[in-house]
Amino acid sequence: MKKYAKIITAILIISMLSLALFACVNPDSDKEGKMTLVLLDGDNAKEYVVDLSKLPSGNSQTGLISVLEYLQNDGRLTYSIDGTLLTQVGDLKNDAGANKWVWLYTDVEKDINVTEFATQITYKGKTYTDSGLGANLMSIKDGCTIIITYMIFG
């Protein structure tokens, strides 16, 4: 009986370690196709088309952070994050004194903010809703567009 208990314990430990190894991979993100990231500052827009097959898989960065990390490593933009809060992306930067914050909008339906406080913007004739998730939890889908802009409170 002790022999079987040791075998079962070993199998459970191996299973848990395997799950921990792959827990960082975002299963809701596509591995192929293209997505568009837009940095929108007033009327100034910078668009980045990202080939999803070039995003590293299995790393510790998930969701939109994996896209930002890829673009930063490719020398196309810079970003900074404080914990889970994006503080700067490209030329967009939080300004607490002006109540101006980096804000995320998406067209991925499962990620949109569904609260009564949801906000929308229009870009190139299409409506986008602010994300109900943090950047690291957002889904990256083939054909999706994520817009990073400002939200001004007050």
Side-chain angles (χ1 to χ4, degrees):
M1 189 68 162
K2 286 184 181 182
K3 180 179 179 181
Y4 292 116
K6 287 181 182 180
I7 292 172
I8 292 172
T9 301
I11 291 172
L12 287 173
I13 290 173
I14 291 170
S15 297
M16 289 187 331
L17 290 174
S18 297
L19 287 174
L21 179 64
F22 296 105
C24 294
V25 178
N26 188 351
D28 293 332
S29 292
D30 290 340
K31 305 290 184 241
E32 294 184 10
K34 294 184 180 191
M35 64 86 58
T36 303
L37 176 69
V38 180
L39 301 186
L40 186 61
D41 187 0
D43 291 333
N44 298 323
K46 290 183 185 176
E47 291 189 7
Y48 302 89
V49 176
V50 177
D51 181 347
L52 301 181
S53 68
K54 298 200 180 211
L55 296 179
S57 62
N59 69 0
S60 61
Q61 306 299 338
T62 60
L64 179 59
I65 300 300
S66 65
V67 174
L68 295 174
E69 187 72 16
Y70 167 75
L71 290 170
Q72 182 167 272
N73 289 340
D74 200 36
R76 295 166 63 189
L77 66 73
T78 59
Y79 81 98
S80 41
I81 192 165
D82 182 9
T84 59
L85 177 68
L86 282 172
T87 57
Q88 179 256 327
V89 180
D91 294 333
L92 302 173
K93 187 173 185 175
N94 289 345
D95 183 353
N99 280 332
K100 193 174 181 181
W101 306 96
V102 172
W103 213 253
L104 308 172
Y105 289 84
T106 184
D107 62 358
V108 177
E109 191 159 335
K110 70 182 260 355
D111 290 354
I112 65 171
N113 182 353
V114 294
T115 70
E116 64 185 279
F117 305 106
T119 59
Q120 295 182 328
I121 62 170
T122 302
Y123 178 72
K124 290 189 173 180
K126 185 174 176 181
T127 301
Y128 298 86
T129 304
D130 65 318
S131 176
L133 302 173
N136 61 329
L137 298 175
M138 293 178 74
S139 303
I140 306 301
K141 297 291 195 180
D142 178 29
C144 81
T145 298
I146 295 175
I147 299 174
I148 303 176
T149 189
Y150 287 117
M151 172 65 76
I152 299 173
F153 293 94

